[in-house]
Amino acid sequence: MMITVESGVTLRQLISEAGKAGLVLPYTPYWWGLTIGGLIGTGAHGSSLWGLGSSVHDYIVQLRIVTPADAANNYAKVRILENGSPDLNAVRVSLGVLGVVSQVTLKLERVFKRSITFSERDDSNLGEDAATFGRQHEFADFTWYPSQHKVIYRIDDRVSIDTPGNALNDFLGFRPTDQYLLASLRTLEEILESTNNADGKCLDATKTTGILKSLSYGWTNNGTGYPMVGFHDRVQASGTCLDSHEGATCPWDHRVKGLFFHQTTFTISLSKVKGFIEDVQRLVALEPKALCVLDLYNGILMRYVTTSNAYLGKQEDSLDFDITYYRSKDPMSPRLFEDFLEEIEQLAFFKYGALPHWGKNRNVAFIGAINKYKNVDKFLQVKQSYDHLGLFSSEWTDQVLGLKDGLSIVKEGCALEGLCICSKDIHCAPNKGYFCRPGRIYKDARVCTNSSLSTIDIQTRKTISTSM
């Protein structure tokens, strides 16, 4: 009931090999192109509040890590850690600063089936539902389109192995895409951004979400509709664009003119998640078109994450928010509704105490983040023991771990790329009409706001904000 892999094995390979033996890893990320070493090192996870936890590192039975040593020991020491080893909870999410994870043994389960239904609802009860839905369904998640006031509830549970169905998850966003189509989509988005065409963004967003819904988001079940029932190893992850053929590739492939975007990803405690969702809804009420920019990247993906034993893992049962949006090739170019995106980011991290996803985010997300982990001192003790020379550390990792200053890089335009929180207009783009201003509903936020907003509009939005 276990599988041992070297860290360069991909999640796809692990799922395939385990499946041949009738076994599965219960909770995994949705993209199968990750390596085991990479997804463990950054705390990658699926969506669940059930079982041992939603993160792959929660299923580690044994781990082998190579750390620096002195000349007498040939400069390397191989350490084998098992459940109960005092250092394992540090190595479960190592950030790569402890050494090289070379081999991992994971606990598996017998293969089982799942029943999945995507249910579209309005977002009026999302704040309430977010705190409870994950207790009701083992693999529950949400896809939220704030500007459309829509949420896709994923009702997803285990069912008997003899339940009919052979569903397959081949998510549309992870399929091979024609490179000329990608170039056209990118060109259109650049035009809409450069002309501040919010109406065009919203129109495209509605079309995009409509297409996804009509195609069941890429899931198939021999045309039988919902619920879609299938074996866990066929539905837990996807990524067929890795098999790209000539002329088609993954949408984000940098070798072609494809999608170019940024992801802000964080987890908020279930006890606080309602307030955050309602604050985002208040922002949408101020400017209904503001978050259409997210819908082009399938809205906000919300997944459940369990409390982890890892020292740098999740501290409480939480909801993970994955927010994806357009990024300019020019770091000095503001995004459409730049201030709304920055305010959401600051709301999450500073008002609601969100934890950043270690594998994503901008510098701003990591400001003070390490102080939110109650066992960081234990992690740093293991780091000092395993690599006292800091061979596996860098200036960046020292900054993230609070060992060195410099996370905020204050310079012209720094707020546009999340290198700083603006305090002066020059940190935005004053030459393009973007100035440093307080947030609309979170007054402690400092965001880059387009000055073209009229005084009448500002007063109207103040009235809306006050009345909610």
Side-chain angles (χ1 to χ4, degrees):
M1 302 295 290
M2 295 182 289
I3 188 168
T4 299
V5 295
E6 294 187 348
S7 62
V9 166
T10 65
L11 177 58
R12 181 184 191 178
Q13 291 172 310
L14 186 153
I15 291 170
S16 174
E17 292 302 315
K20 292 175 183 177
L23 301 170
V24 291
L25 186 62
Y27 310 110
T28 65
Y30 296 174
W31 163 249
W32 67 25
L34 301 166
T35 64
I36 302 305
L39 65 86
I40 287 174
T42 56
H45 56 84
S47 182
S48 187
L49 296 175
W50 300 37
L52 296 177
S54 56
S55 301
V56 175
H57 61 254
D58 292 322
Y59 295 84
I60 292 175
V61 176
Q62 185 184 85
L63 182 146
R64 188 174 71 191
I65 183 171
V66 184
T67 62
D70 55 24
N73 291 291
N74 294 319
Y75 301 103
K77 181 176 182 178
V78 178
R79 303 172 189 259
I80 298 177
L81 308 177
E82 299 180 344
N83 277 334
S85 298
D87 296 341
L88 182 58
N89 284 339
V91 185
R92 285 182 192 275
V93 180
S94 69
L95 307 187
V97 301
L98 304 181
V100 176
V101 174
S102 65
Q103 190 179 87
V104 181
T105 300
L106 297 162
K107 180 179 176 60
L108 303 177
E109 297 182 16
R110 295 291 180 193
V111 68
F112 55 88
K113 278 189 167 182
R114 286 162 53 184
S115 171
I116 302 101
T117 296
F118 294 105
S119 175
E120 182 181 302
R121 308 176 190 177
D122 67 64
D123 68 358
S124 57
N125 293 320
L126 180 59
E128 293 282 352
D129 291 345
T132 60
F133 192 61
R135 306 287 183 195
Q136 299 165 9
H137 303 285
E138 183 175 1
F139 300 94
D141 71 20
F142 305 97
T143 302
W144 183 21
Y145 306 118
S147 283
Q148 299 183 47
H149 301 287
K150 292 180 182 178
V151 188
I152 308 301
Y153 285 64
R154 178 157 149 177
I155 302 167
D156 190 341
D157 294 288
R158 297 189 193 213
V159 292
S160 172
I161 197 72
D162 57 5
T163 305
N166 195 31
L168 176 68
N169 173 12
D170 189 10
F171 177 59
L172 288 170
F174 295 162
R175 288 185 183 181
T177 308
D178 182 85
Q179 63 184 29
Y180 296 108
L181 174 59
L182 289 174
S184 298
L185 292 173
R186 176 66 186 187
T187 298
L188 175 60
E189 191 168 18
E190 287 174 343
I191 292 171
L192 295 175
E193 283 278 335
S194 64
T195 57
N196 291 325
N197 189 343
D199 290 328
K201 283 266 190 175
C202 291
L203 179 61
D204 272 6
T206 302
K207 290 179 179 178
T208 299
T209 55
I211 291 171
L212 287 171
K213 179 183 176 182
S214 68
L215 296 175
S216 299
Y217 310 95
W219 292 60
T220 57
N221 194 30
N222 299 324
T224 58
Y226 297 130
M228 295 191 176
V229 176
F231 290 99
H232 179 63
D233 55 326
R234 284 174 55 85
V235 301
Q236 68 186 108
S238 67
T240 52
C241 66
L242 290 176
D243 304 321
S244 298
H245 52 80
E246 186 175 354
T249 187
C250 292
W252 55 85
D253 192 333
H254 67 277
R255 296 171 298 178
V256 302
K257 183 177 181 179
L259 304 184
F260 188 64
F261 51 81
H262 168 73
Q263 289 186 318
T264 292
T265 305
F266 49 82
T267 60
I268 296 177
S269 167
L270 290 183
S271 63
K272 300 177 181 179
V273 75
K274 179 183 176 182
F276 173 74
I277 289 171
E278 290 179 345
D279 274 351
V280 174
Q281 290 171 329
R282 290 172 65 198
L283 280 172
V284 173
L286 294 175
E287 176 47 82
K289 301 173 185 176
L291 298 188
C292 290
V293 297
L294 306 182
D295 296 355
L296 293 173
Y297 298 92
N298 203 28
I300 300 175
L301 175 62
M302 300 157 60
R303 297 177 295 167
Y304 287 98
V305 193
T306 41
T307 306
S308 172
N309 290 323
Y311 291 159
L312 298 186
K314 302 302 179 251
Q315 304 295 287
E316 300 178 67
D317 287 356
S318 309
L319 196 60
D320 179 270
F321 293 78
D322 202 331
I323 301 175
T324 307
Y325 52 84
Y326 169 92
R327 184 179 180 186
S328 173
K329 296 284 187 178
D330 176 9
M332 297 299 289
S333 178
R335 300 164 185 81
L336 185 58
F337 296 113
E338 173 82 26
D339 50 345
F340 281 80
L341 299 171
E342 290 183 11
E343 186 164 352
I344 290 172
E345 184 177 49
Q346 293 178 43
L347 269 169
F349 290 111
F350 305 121
K351 182 177 179 180
Y352 291 99
L355 296 176
H357 193 300
W358 293 117
K360 303 174 185 176
N361 290 301
R362 315 187 305 171
N363 291 40
V364 167
F366 296 102
I367 296 174
I370 198 63
N371 299 322
K372 301 172 185 176
Y373 293 87
K374 60 184 179 182
N375 289 314
V376 63
D377 289 342
K378 293 180 180 179
F379 179 86
L380 294 177
Q381 289 173 10
V382 175
K383 178 180 182 301
Q384 178 64 20
S385 171
Y386 280 30
D387 183 21
H388 70 279
L389 296 177
L391 297 179
F392 286 88
S393 296
S394 66
E395 182 178 23
W396 166 247
T397 60
D398 283 347
Q399 290 168 349
V400 168
L401 291 171
L403 301 174
K404 184 179 291 186
D405 294 332
L407 265 177
S408 290
I409 301 174
V410 180
K411 62 179 184 177
E412 181 180 354
C414 57
L416 301 177
E417 281 291 272
L419 299 176
C420 73
I421 297 173
C422 73
S423 58
K424 299 178 180 179
D425 291 338
I426 195 65
H427 299 154
C428 298
N431 60 325
K432 297 180 180 179
Y434 285 77
F435 299 88
C436 187
R437 297 291 183 265
R440 285 171 165 77
I441 62 170
Y442 179 42
K443 298 306 179 183
D444 289 342
R446 291 295 179 270
V447 297
C448 296
T449 300
N450 191 331
S451 62
S452 63
L453 191 64
S454 72
T455 304
I456 294 176
D457 284 340
I458 291 174
Q459 185 57 49
T460 301
R461 294 173 190 197
K462 283 183 178 177
T463 302
I464 293 173
S465 180
T466 304
S467 65
M468 291 191 67

